[in-house]
Amino acid sequence: MRILLLGNGGREHAFAWKLSQSPACEALFIAPGNAGTLLHGTNLAIQPTDFPAVKTAVLDHHIDLVICGPEDPLVHGIQDFFAQDAELQSVLFFGPSQAAAQLEGSKAYAKVFMEEQGIPTADYREFSLDQLEDGLHYLATLTPPIVLKADGLAAGKGVVILDNVQEAQVELRAMLAGKFGQASATVVVEEFLSGIEFSVFAFTDGQDYKILPVAKDYKRIGEGDTGLNTGGMGSVSHPPFVDAAMMRKVEDRIIRPTIEGLRLRNLTYRGVVFFGLISVAGEPFVIEYNCRMGDPETQSVFPRLKNDLVELCRATAAGELAGVEIQIDERAVASIILVAGGYPGNYERGLEITGINEVQDSLVFYAGVRTDGDRLLTNGGRVLAVTSYGDTFQEALAISRKNAEKIHFKGVNFRRDIGFDL
Ligand code: AMP
Ligand code: GLY
């Protein structure tokens, strides 16, 4: 197969690494890719949201299968663009339709969907600007912490959790007034759930589904889960608290009713559903849906997946998942993310990265990394992932920590406590 992968993060490096191992991978192109995807294929200087440019690349390079890494093109309808174009209809596409991608693209849509399917999630109300007064009164009836969520995509920044009613009222006013632009024209106010979060991924062709290895990610910048939220500072697979009994509940109460809900609504979904879950006293609830793989979960999930990823994505996109069996490496995998000094606030780019050649027994997945001749330079806040196997996740983390210490760039920062709560 000739494959085009869309995206440029650490997730996409992990995709490229895994896809390129398949004997079925005849050619791999990545748009736009990064210095890591370049090790496994050909980067194309195209933005995934530029659909006409993606089309030209697909035709020029005789692509058979397109895999969409990030959510943005999906929420903007790239799958529909392919389905409606006479020259692209025969190209297999991994990723849901625009209507189905609303599970991630609109929190209000996802809430109604879950309510109708009887899927456990936090109680909520939604408010638009003309309901501001109702919203302010409603907030006054709540016991903090109070969770406010911008309805639409807000680059991971649209969730605000507040410790008192007055602050929540100020925030609701600001959000409805356009703090996150159109994304916060509607705001979901949610019951706060207290528990431990984990990430479950299911490939689906809209009929069948297959569950990938489970992961847990660490979003806060500081050790002990303190400080600002980031794109993700580390991940482990498998988190031990997610036992077989928990997975049965997840499958019965969440995964199956979700796939059933897609089917009932005739939504075209050939891709991955990412269930952001929380265990509250041993019972799973959905915090959010995403219509793509997680980052940095993918960096820990794909190394445990024994299946041929080309075949798995092809079968998903072709509606042929029924016969597929997922095979999982029993070892633990852990990833530590090296970030730029100052991230998630302001940080420098273009800093030289050294020491990657000294890494032993770990995989290194690049995120914000670009090449400059023979040199590697930082090109983002999250720079790279150091990923290791172990008999236990503690052992995997110890190897990742040891190797993370060998990689240098000015201001480099990483968390040494990933997995501390497991
Ligand atoms: P989301 O973008 O919906 O995943 O929210 C970002 C983060 O906010 C989640 O990973 C949780 O840590 C937190 N969060 C979201 N919703 C809730 C909730 N109802 N209760 C507690 N924490 C939440
Ligand atoms: N790691 C969470 C996400 O990808 O949204």
Side-chain angles (χ1 to χ4, degrees):
M1 299 221 104
R2 299 177 64 81
I3 302 169
L4 174 62
L5 169 66
L6 304 178
N8 66 349
R11 167 182 55 210
E12 282 74 24
H13 184 184
F15 258 103
W17 166 80
K18 182 79 180 149
L19 291 167
S20 67
Q21 291 167 22
S22 166
C25 184
E26 205 181 305
L28 177 62
F29 297 88
I30 310 93
N34 62 25
T37 62
L38 200 54
L39 303 171
H40 307 287
T42 306
N43 287 348
L44 305 174
I46 291 171
Q47 287 308 317
T49 45
D50 183 351
F51 300 169
V54 172
K55 173 178 175 176
T56 304
V58 165
L59 298 178
D60 285 354
H61 297 289
H62 308 287
I63 298 298
D64 305 302
L65 169 66
V66 176
I67 299 171
C68 188
E71 65 277 12
D72 225 37
L74 297 166
V75 171
H76 288 102
I78 191 168
Q79 188 278 338
D80 309 71
F81 176 83
F82 271 69
Q84 286 155 16
D85 187 301
E87 291 176 289
L88 297 177
Q89 268 166 10
S90 61
V91 177
L92 292 170
F93 193 93
F94 182 95
S97 64
Q98 184 166 30
Q102 286 184 93
L103 281 184
E104 173 164 3
S106 167
K107 305 240 184 228
Y109 179 91
K111 285 304 224 183
V112 173
F113 179 95
M114 287 187 268
E115 206 164 45
E116 290 176 357
Q117 291 303 115
I119 293 168
T121 187
D123 288 338
Y124 79 104
R125 293 270 303 269
E126 63 171 278
F127 299 96
S128 52
L129 187 54
D130 56 341
Q131 298 163 312
L132 174 63
E133 288 307 318
D134 287 350
L136 297 175
H137 283 127
Y138 177 66
L139 291 177
T141 68
L142 300 180
T143 310
I146 296 173
V147 183
L148 301 182
K149 298 186 172 184
D151 176 54
L153 293 186
K157 298 191 171 68
V159 177
V160 186
I161 300 178
L162 297 149
D163 286 326
N164 73 63
V165 169
Q166 287 72 29
E167 281 175 34
Q169 289 175 327
V170 169
E171 184 65 29
L172 178 66
R173 224 180 251 285
M175 284 171 90
L176 289 176
K179 178 174 176 184
F180 299 104
Q182 203 40 44
S184 62
T186 299
V187 173
V188 167
V189 180
E190 222 176 70
E191 168 201 11
F192 180 83
L193 297 176
S194 184
I196 183 159
E197 290 178 59
F198 59 110
S199 305
V200 172
F201 303 93
F203 278 33
T204 183
D205 57 11
Q207 298 295 319
D208 293 281
Y209 63 85
K210 302 290 164 182
I211 303 171
L212 269 62
V214 176
K216 170 162 179 55
D217 80 335
Y218 290 80
K219 290 195 177 74
R220 303 292 198 95
I221 185 71
E223 297 192 347
D225 275 344
T226 55
L228 293 173
N229 257 322
T230 71
M233 297 295 291
S235 62
V236 302
S237 178
H238 181 104
F241 70 93
V242 185
D243 57 12
M246 171 61 88
M247 278 312 287
R248 263 195 306 279
K249 292 180 192 173
V250 169
E251 191 167 357
D252 291 346
R253 299 176 194 173
I254 295 171
I255 301 179
R256 206 171 302 119
T258 298
I259 306 304
E260 181 64 25
L262 295 170
R263 209 165 33 216
L264 282 174
R265 289 164 185 75
N266 272 320
L267 293 169
T268 300
Y269 205 121
R270 296 190 205 98
V272 61
V273 186
F274 168 173
F275 302 87
L277 305 179
I278 188 165
S279 168
V280 180
E283 305 301 328
F285 288 77
V286 177
I287 290 269
E288 64 165 350
Y289 286 113
N290 295 303
C291 59
R292 48 162 178 93
M293 288 296 295
D295 190 336
E297 287 96 329
T298 306
Q299 293 89 317
S300 292
V301 168
F302 280 176
R304 295 192 61 222
L305 182 68
K306 289 201 205 161
N307 297 63
D308 179 323
L309 186 60
V310 172
E311 173 49 23
L312 193 55
C313 291
R314 185 207 63 75
T316 302
E320 294 171 10
L321 259 186
V324 173
E325 209 179 301
I326 297 292
Q327 284 160 343
I328 297 179
D329 190 320
E330 289 307 317
R331 287 176 293 174
V333 172
S335 301
I336 292 177
I337 308 298
L338 273 57
V339 302
Y343 173 83
N346 294 332
Y347 55 85
E348 265 183 86
R349 289 172 200 252
L351 304 167
E352 182 166 6
I353 306 166
T354 58
I356 293 179
N357 291 339
E358 280 148 52
V359 169
Q360 279 176 330
D361 305 322
S362 292
L363 299 160
V364 180
F365 293 119
Y366 300 176
V369 181
R370 67 180 175 89
T371 53
D372 175 38
D374 290 343
R375 300 190 311 156
L376 291 176
L377 304 182
T378 68
N379 193 34
R382 288 193 293 168
V383 176
L384 43 85
V386 180
T387 299
S388 314
Y389 291 93
D391 288 334
T392 62
F393 73 87
Q394 291 94 338
E395 192 182 306
L397 281 164
I399 299 169
S400 284
R401 266 196 305 273
K402 187 184 75 195
N403 282 314
E405 301 284 1
K406 297 178 185 168
I407 300 175
H408 299 286
F409 49 88
K410 195 180 116 202
V412 56
N413 180 28
F414 65 90
R415 273 179 62 174
R416 289 165 177 79
D417 74 332
I418 300 300
F420 77 99
D421 54 345
L422 297 178

